[in-house]
């Protein structure tokens, strides 16, 4: 008799368990299919009336280009300047690559650029104000023709654990673009006699919203000749 | 003995030739010796210190050390009387419009001619066997042999005494209370040579009338100018004008401009323009 009761109760428990299993949704335990089909969002059928429309179609990265890195701008300007003497002269006296280097430097400047640069040589006194791209090109061209071994380097600063840090000062300009400044050591040799000169200085560059240089101030002071020991 | 005498005579002759060449300057012209000079403004003025000079007015900077060959330049500005001779010799040339009935006003024969344009000034110089000076020639001549000076007579222009500061406009004075040796701030030109000449013996390089120059004007010319015998830009819109005129205020006039009378100040004008303060002198 006891055995019969145990069997009946077991059958009932099994039946109840089967009943419970049939009520639970099978999808919850299934993996999603590998090929995704377009899904209609459940919210589409009953959109919330207070919700704002979806944002603009363009992704946020394309709307605003990333701000230029001031250190990169400074290094690019210095590299192009130093490259101005990296052209060659053939045995026939033909200059190879000089114009390309000048053009490479001039890519950086806006048409209405104003630049203040040091006098070209001992035969000039006073500031040299270059108005317009044409005059800046003459200046760049003159450097490439008359100077060799150009080595304008950024000064580095060391303090505590910060060793040899290149300091760039930058600020957004009120009219758009960015202004940067940095300290340099300038060194160059005269092509005519290879006499070498050096001096500390500073560079101020204003890049407009199009990424072109609107203003340049290059100061090089205390210029002295480098003598062999 | 005879050989020694002959040698001595030959040596004397050789020495005399250059001297003779130097003294053989054409009438009323002065020879400006060959050599270098600083052209442009090689000093700083108070407006620089306050960042008040517009970029376009920095056309006299940088200064350049320029070499010029020797040349001749007129001692005086071309006068009405000189110009009258030119008109008689070249029929069809119009007299300055301010001459009554095309004739010089009585008593004004020795005044510098004005109301002539650049083309007429050029034609006059050509007729006289000369030419207009280049800008470099004019400035070297105006400096009178001084180095980096402000004015044709030197640098003396600043009088900071109480008396000067209270002086009325137009009462520009030198430090030593001598009048500035230039005709400025008048109602008409004065006869040429009224004031003391500069170191080269040239009159009215500053004052009386401004002077036409042969060169085209380019505000950026000094940036890359040739260092030997510069002839100015190849082309342009305006011609250079140099010096100061009788309408200009003297240096350091109270309330007036003080830096427009310097020997490095550059000006320009439409070559077609006939102005009451622009005359000229010739060079050779």
């Amino acid at each position: 008799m006891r055995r019969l009761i145990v069997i009946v109760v077991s059958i009932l428990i099994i039946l109840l368990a089967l009943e419970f299993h049939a009520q639970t949704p099978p999808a919850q335990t299934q993996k999603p299919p590998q090929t995704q089909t377009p899904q209609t969002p459940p919210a589409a059928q009953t959109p919330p009336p207070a919700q704002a429309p979806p944002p603009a179609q363009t992704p946020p990265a394309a709307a605003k280009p990333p701000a230029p890195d001031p250190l990169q701008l400074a290094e690019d300007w210095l590299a192009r300047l130093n490259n101005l003497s990296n052209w060659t002269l053939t045995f026939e006296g033909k200059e190879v690559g000089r114009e390309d280097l000048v053009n490479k430097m001039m890519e950086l400047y806006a048409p209405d650029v104003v630049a203040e640069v040091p006098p070209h040589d001992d035969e000039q006194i006073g500031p040299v104000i270059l108005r317009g791209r044409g005059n800046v090109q003459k200046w760049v061209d003159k450097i490439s023709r008359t100077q060799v071994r150009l080595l304008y380097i950024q000064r580095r600063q060391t303090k505590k654990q910060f060793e040899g840090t290149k300091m760039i000062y930058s600020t957004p300009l009120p009219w758009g673009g960015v202004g940067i400044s940095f300290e340099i050591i300038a060194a160059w040799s005269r092509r005519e006699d290879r006499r070498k000169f050096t001096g500390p200085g500073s560079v101020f560059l204003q890049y407009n919203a199009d990424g072109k240089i609107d203003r340049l101030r290059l100061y090089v002071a205390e210029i002295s000749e480098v003598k062999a020991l | 003995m005879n050989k020694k005498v002959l040698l001595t005579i030959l040596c004397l002759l050789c020495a005399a030739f250059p001297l003779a060449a130097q003294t053989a300057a054409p009438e009323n012209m002065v020879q400006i010796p060959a050599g270098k000079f600083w052209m442009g403004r090689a000093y700083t003025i108070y407006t620089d210190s306050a960042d008040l000079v517009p970029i376009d007015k920095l056309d006299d900077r940088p200064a350049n050390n320029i070499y010029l060959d020797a040349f001749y330049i007129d001692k005086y500005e071309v006068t009405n009387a000189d110009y009258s001779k030119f008109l008689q010799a070249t029929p069809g040339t119009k007299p300055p419009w301010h001459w009554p009935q095309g004739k010089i006003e009585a008593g004004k024969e020795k005044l510098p001619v004005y109301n002539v344009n650049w083309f007429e000034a050029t034609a006059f110089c050509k007729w006289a066997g000369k030419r207009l000076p280049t800008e470099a020639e004019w400035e070297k001549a105006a400096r009178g042999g001084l180095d980096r000076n402000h004015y044709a007579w030197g640098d003396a222009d600043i009088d900071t005494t109480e008396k000067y500061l209270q002086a009325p406009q137009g009462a520009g004075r030198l430090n030593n209370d001598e009048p500035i040796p230039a005709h400025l701030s008048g109602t008409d030109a004065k006869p040429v040579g009224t004031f003391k000449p500069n170191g080269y013996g040239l009159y009215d390089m500053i004052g009386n009338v401004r002077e036409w120059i042969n060169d085209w004007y380019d505000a950026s010319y000094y940036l890359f100018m040739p260092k030997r015998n510069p002839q100015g830009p190849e082309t342009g819109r305006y011609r250079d004008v140099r010096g100061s005129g009788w309408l200009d205020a003297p240096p350091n006039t109270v309330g007036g401009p003080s830096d427009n009378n310097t020997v490095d100040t550059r000006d320009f004008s439409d070559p077609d323009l006939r102005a009451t303060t622009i005359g000229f002198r010739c060079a050779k």
Side-chain angles (χ1 to χ4, degrees), chain B residues 143-175:
Chain B
R143 290 185 179 279
L146 299 173
D147 182 33
R148 287 172 257 189
N149 46 318
H150 299 198
Y151 306 103
W153 56 83
D155 292 339
D157 65 340
I158 299 167
D159 185 344
T160 54
T161 61
E162 191 71 17
K163 184 178 72 175
Y164 170 75
L165 293 172
Q166 291 176 351
Q169 187 165 350
R173 309 281 291 181
L174 293 177
N175 276 332

Side-chain angles (χ1 to χ4, degrees), chain A:
Chain A
M1 185 61 185
R2 281 182 68 184
R3 287 182 68 179
L4 186 68
I5 290 168
V6 169
I7 289 168
V8 170
V9 169
S10 298
I11 289 168
L12 281 172
I13 288 170
I14 289 167
L15 283 174
L16 278 171
L18 285 173
E19 180 81 3
F20 178 75
H21 185 73
Q23 283 179 1
T24 53
Q28 283 188 352
T29 54
Q30 280 180 350
K31 284 185 178 178
Q34 292 294 317
T35 53
Q36 288 187 352
T37 52
Q39 291 180 350
T40 51
Q45 290 175 359
T46 55
Q51 213 168 26
Q57 295 295 318
T58 51
K64 196 176 179 184
D69 175 23
L71 179 61
Q72 204 175 344
L73 291 175
E75 287 180 341
D76 182 37
W77 187 84
L78 284 171
R80 293 184 197 226
L81 177 63
N82 289 329
N83 261 338
L84 288 175
S85 59
N86 289 342
W87 52 276
T88 52
L89 199 63
T90 65
F91 280 111
E92 294 78 28
K94 193 180 169 190
E95 298 170 349
V96 179
R98 193 178 67 79
E99 280 184 21
D100 293 340
L101 296 173
V102 170
N103 293 337
K104 191 81 179 160
M105 181 60 156
M106 290 312 300
E107 285 172 1
L108 297 177
Y109 295 94
D112 56 349
V113 56
V114 175
E116 184 173 342
V117 299
H120 309 309
D121 47 46
D122 297 339
E123 303 284 283
Q124 279 193 331
I125 296 176
V128 178
I129 311 281
L130 307 164
R131 282 158 286 195
R133 205 168 177 276
N135 281 316
V136 172
Q137 178 144 4
K138 283 184 188 172
W139 172 65
V140 171
D141 189 78
K142 183 159 186 161
I143 291 173
S144 74
R145 274 189 291 106
T146 60
Q147 297 182 8
V148 294
R149 300 170 186 161
L150 290 163
L151 189 61
Y152 285 70
I153 54 170
Q154 269 179 268
R155 293 190 93 160
R156 292 168 183 266
Q157 192 173 338
T158 298
K159 192 163 187 175
K160 294 182 178 174
Q161 75 272 28
F162 301 98
E163 287 195 11
T165 303
K166 291 178 178 177
M167 302 292 290
I168 303 283
Y169 306 90
S170 69
T171 183
L173 301 172
W175 41 84
V178 62
I180 66 170
S181 65
F182 48 96
E183 291 180 65
I184 57 164
I185 294 285
W188 68 94
S189 298
R190 295 200 312 206
R191 185 181 167 193
E192 57 182 317
D193 53 16
R194 295 303 198 263
R195 285 170 63 193
K196 186 175 181 178
F197 298 87
T198 188
S202 54
V203 181
F204 296 81
L205 292 165
Q206 290 183 8
Y207 288 83
N208 63 22
D210 297 329
K212 300 290 182 186
I213 297 172
D214 265 345
R215 290 283 190 280
L216 156 68
R217 282 182 198 270
L218 170 61
Y219 296 114
V220 182
E222 300 163 23
I223 297 170
S224 54
E225 187 170 357
V226 179
K227 299 275 189 186
L229 289 173

